[in-house]
Amino acid sequence: MIEINHPPDAPSLLESMRSIGYSLESALADIVDNSISARARNIAIEFRPEPIPYIAILDDGCGMSQQELERAMRHGSTNPSLVRDEHDLGRYGLGLKTASLSQCRRLTVISLKSGKLSGYCWDLDRVLLRQAWTLLKLDRKEILTFPHVDQLLKQESGTIVLWHELDRLLAGETVIEKALGHQMLVAGEHLSLVFHRYINGEPGLSALKITFNNRALSPVDPFLLDHRATQRLAEDSFTVEGRKVSVKPFILPHLSKLTTAEISRAGGSEGLRHQQGFYVYRNRRLIIWGTWFRLARKDELSKLARVRVEIPNTLDHLWTIDVKKSMAVPPEAVRVNLRRTIERIRQASGKTLVYRGRQANLGLVTPGWIETTDRDGVRFDINREHPVVAALRGNLDAAQQRQFESMLRVVEQSFPMEALYAKLAEDNRPKPISDGVEKNFRETIVAILDGWSAGKSSKAAFLEGLHLIEPFSSSPDVAQKLARDFLLKK
């Protein structure tokens, strides 16, 4: 056999790699990864719609020398098989180029290290013209004409990544300012989630500041750890090829305990139901979320369940992490262990949804509705033993009791089960108890007692247990106060 040098056609390969599947937000996240790997503590993302639209990412990391930057601009600059620093968020040596050129036709990178500026540029139109891998080297005079270089020079070190000719990002848009602003807003929300642990800071991890046009991003914690009603289940861990993988389950608070803003933050644009599942972190950077990896199905009872999975970058080859770091498939050794977590967290999520976080002993509460399961499915029947129902029935003659029973059946058969399920799937927050709850309870109690015919002793027993009877059990303190008032009057 004869060996020949057979490099790929530069224009064809670069144009093809633009369609690898990056979105704006995933492309920006890839650039932020590089900044974090360079030990940056501040990352400024700037975008301007005019006169010439561009996006710039400026960090205060360690920067690169001319030789280091030239190597970094090479496609495939890092061998993914090599052992890397445990804090490195890269893998293939493609992210900087592939992510950037997926959004623009001209990528410029300028870096400052040891007081020296270096700059290189990939221009796809120049590559097409030359029909070769033509990388442009910039001299200092040219570098100083680029935006934000003055900010870079005020730092000890750092790097600017500049995207010009945003052809795909702004394709077909007539109002550039509005289009770019909207897309960057979505990207900012994405980065707030993906890097929320870096932005927030935690033991062993200094807080990272990311700004969008001088506006600092706030972390979006998918587990709502600051909420007192969030449940933390026992952590589990196991080893794969001698490396630790940790699994920490959480149950979000019931919707009735969340504000509209908290529901939106925890569910995003796709809702709580879609976002349930595993949240996989690679070196504390979120890479995939909202999936059970086909180990379970998504349903209403598990929509509050979320599991944090921590993996090191040394296991990338087992998780088949893609170039964009937006997909990961767990190996069978990990799937076996993840299955152990699923059932217990789904059960805990279901209990939180069904019981709405009542503080009273659930076995003592007299419900207004009783869940009945038979071969045809689940239905809800009015509790015939509820004190109010029983008291009213006791005041009726035989004919009236039959009419009363017919009315209860009509109410039961009209129960809007499907509509209720649909509303819950939309993450509609249950209507909170109004400020007039005491007034409403008092009027209801008066009406009940006025028609009471079962005797004083049973009436007293009803009032003493009022806080354990629905709907009064929803506000037990108010129910007990009213009960004392009525008992004193009697």
Side-chain angles (χ1 to χ4, degrees):
M1 293 182 290
I2 300 175
E3 294 183 357
I4 61 173
N5 186 24
H6 195 52
D9 179 69
S12 300
L13 182 59
L14 287 178
E15 289 291 348
S16 298
M17 291 179 68
R18 301 189 74 199
S19 301
I20 203 168
Y22 276 100
S23 61
L24 171 61
E25 52 267 29
S26 62
L28 284 172
D30 229 332
I31 306 303
V32 172
D33 284 340
N34 293 338
S35 296
I36 293 174
S37 296
R39 301 293 193 272
R41 300 272 34 98
N42 296 279
I43 302 173
I45 299 176
E46 302 286 332
F47 55 95
R48 303 288 187 272
E50 53 185 24
I52 300 175
Y54 72 83
I55 296 174
I57 304 94
L58 167 66
D59 70 45
D60 62 354
C62 60
M64 292 175 280
S65 66
Q66 180 176 311
Q67 293 75 18
E68 290 170 333
L69 178 54
E70 183 176 337
R71 184 167 58 251
M73 294 294 278
R74 179 184 298 118
H75 288 73
S77 58
T78 303
N79 187 337
S81 300
L82 296 178
V83 176
R84 287 164 287 123
D85 184 283
E86 63 178 358
H87 302 294
D88 189 1
L89 295 181
R91 174 160 172 76
Y92 294 98
L94 288 171
L96 169 63
K97 289 76 63 175
T98 308
S100 298
L101 294 175
S102 71
Q103 307 299 311
C104 68
R105 295 194 64 81
R106 184 151 55 90
L107 162 67
T108 303
V109 182
I110 298 168
S111 198
L112 174 66
K113 184 175 183 178
S114 301
K116 295 183 179 180
L117 276 175
S118 305
Y120 286 89
C121 173
W122 277 112
D123 187 327
L124 294 186
D125 292 329
R126 183 67 65 93
V127 171
L128 179 61
L129 177 65
R130 301 301 185 195
Q131 293 291 303
W133 295 91
T134 305
L135 178 65
L136 303 177
K137 179 181 178 182
L138 308 176
D139 60 29
R140 183 179 178 85
K141 184 177 179 181
E142 291 172 318
I143 290 173
L144 294 176
T145 64
F146 284 90
H148 308 291
V149 172
D150 56 335
Q151 295 172 249
L152 177 62
L153 289 172
K154 294 177 183 178
Q155 304 174 175
E156 291 185 3
S157 61
T159 300
I160 303 175
V161 176
L162 282 156
W163 297 349
H164 283 99
E165 298 184 24
L166 309 172
D167 60 332
R168 294 195 171 182
L169 192 59
L170 301 177
E173 300 290 349
T174 55
V175 185
I176 302 300
E177 182 176 4
K178 182 178 180 180
L180 184 58
H182 173 72
Q183 293 188 62
M184 292 300 289
L185 178 64
V186 173
E189 294 172 350
H190 178 85
L191 298 185
S192 295
L193 172 63
V194 168
F195 297 101
H196 73 94
R197 297 174 67 180
Y198 284 86
I199 299 172
N200 192 55
E202 55 185 51
L205 189 66
S206 301
L208 171 70
K209 184 177 182 181
I210 303 178
T211 61
F212 268 50
N213 282 359
N214 293 318
R215 180 182 63 84
L217 296 184
S218 299
V220 173
D221 175 16
F223 307 107
L224 300 181
L225 294 181
D226 291 337
H227 201 291
R228 63 181 182 179
T230 294
Q231 301 175 49
R232 297 164 172 82
L233 304 188
E235 182 173 339
D236 187 18
S237 64
F238 50 91
T239 59
V240 178
E241 294 190 356
R243 299 292 181 172
K244 180 181 177 181
V245 176
S246 64
V247 180
K248 177 70 174 179
F250 299 89
I251 305 296
L252 300 189
H254 186 269
L255 298 183
S256 62
K257 297 185 177 183
L258 297 175
T259 64
T260 302
E262 287 171 334
I263 293 175
S264 175
R265 188 164 66 250
S269 60
E270 298 178 309
L272 287 173
R273 189 174 191 272
H274 185 80
Q275 301 290 21
Q276 63 182 275
F278 293 109
Y279 283 63
V280 181
Y281 291 82
R282 173 179 175 268
N283 291 356
R284 293 186 275 199
R285 190 263 209 209
L286 185 59
I287 59 173
I288 188 170
W289 60 93
T291 176
W292 290 117
F293 293 124
R294 297 188 179 181
L295 299 175
R297 64 185 180 88
K298 293 183 177 181
D299 56 34
E300 279 302 301
L301 288 182
S302 61
K303 77 177 183 180
L304 300 181
R306 298 185 178 187
V307 185
R308 188 174 70 196
V309 181
E310 305 262 13
I311 64 172
N313 61 11
T314 49
L315 295 180
D316 285 356
H317 62 290
L318 294 180
W319 283 78
T320 59
I321 294 176
D322 67 348
V323 173
K324 305 186 301 297
K325 294 189 286 290
S326 61
M327 184 187 76
V329 179
E332 187 57 31
V334 174
R335 294 170 70 89
V336 169
N337 288 278
L338 294 183
R339 287 190 184 96
R340 299 185 313 196
T341 304
I342 290 178
E343 192 54 39
R344 67 185 176 109
I345 190 174
R346 284 167 62 85
Q347 290 176 354
S349 174
K351 289 179 181 179
T352 300
L353 281 168
V354 171
Y355 298 128
R356 305 192 305 277
R358 294 187 183 120
Q359 295 180 353
N361 186 329
L362 294 173
L364 297 178
V365 173
T366 301
W369 295 85
I370 295 178
E371 179 183 335
T372 303
T373 304
D374 56 27
R375 62 184 181 183
D376 295 323
V378 177
R379 71 175 190 275
F380 289 89
D381 297 331
I382 294 174
N383 182 9
R384 301 304 195 271
E385 303 305 318
H386 192 283
V388 176
V389 177
L392 178 56
R393 186 173 53 239
N395 291 334
L396 306 176
D397 58 33
Q400 291 173 328
Q401 286 187 16
R402 288 194 294 272
Q403 291 179 331
F404 181 60
E405 179 64 25
S406 297
M407 183 200 71
L408 294 182
R409 288 176 181 170
V410 169
V411 173
E412 291 169 341
Q413 293 168 6
S414 304
F415 188 85
M417 182 74 78
E418 293 183 0
L420 179 61
Y421 184 87
K423 291 299 180 184
L424 287 174
E426 296 171 0
D427 296 337
N428 279 284
R429 184 170 178 266
K431 185 178 180 181
I433 298 172
S434 66
D435 294 336
V437 62
E438 182 173 343
K439 177 176 179 293
N440 294 333
F441 278 5
R442 185 182 296 276
E443 292 175 351
T444 303
I445 295 169
V446 169
I448 293 171
L449 296 181
D450 284 348
W452 196 278
S453 62
K456 289 186 178 180
S457 60
S458 60
K459 184 184 294 186
F462 166 72
L463 289 171
E464 289 171 355
L466 189 67
H467 64 290
L468 296 176
I469 300 172
E470 288 187 331
F472 310 106
S473 60
S474 62
S475 294
D477 293 340
V478 175
Q480 288 177 317
K481 175 181 179 298
L482 291 173
R484 288 193 295 269
D485 292 346
F486 282 98
L487 286 169
L488 289 174
K489 291 179 182 178
K490 302 301 179 184

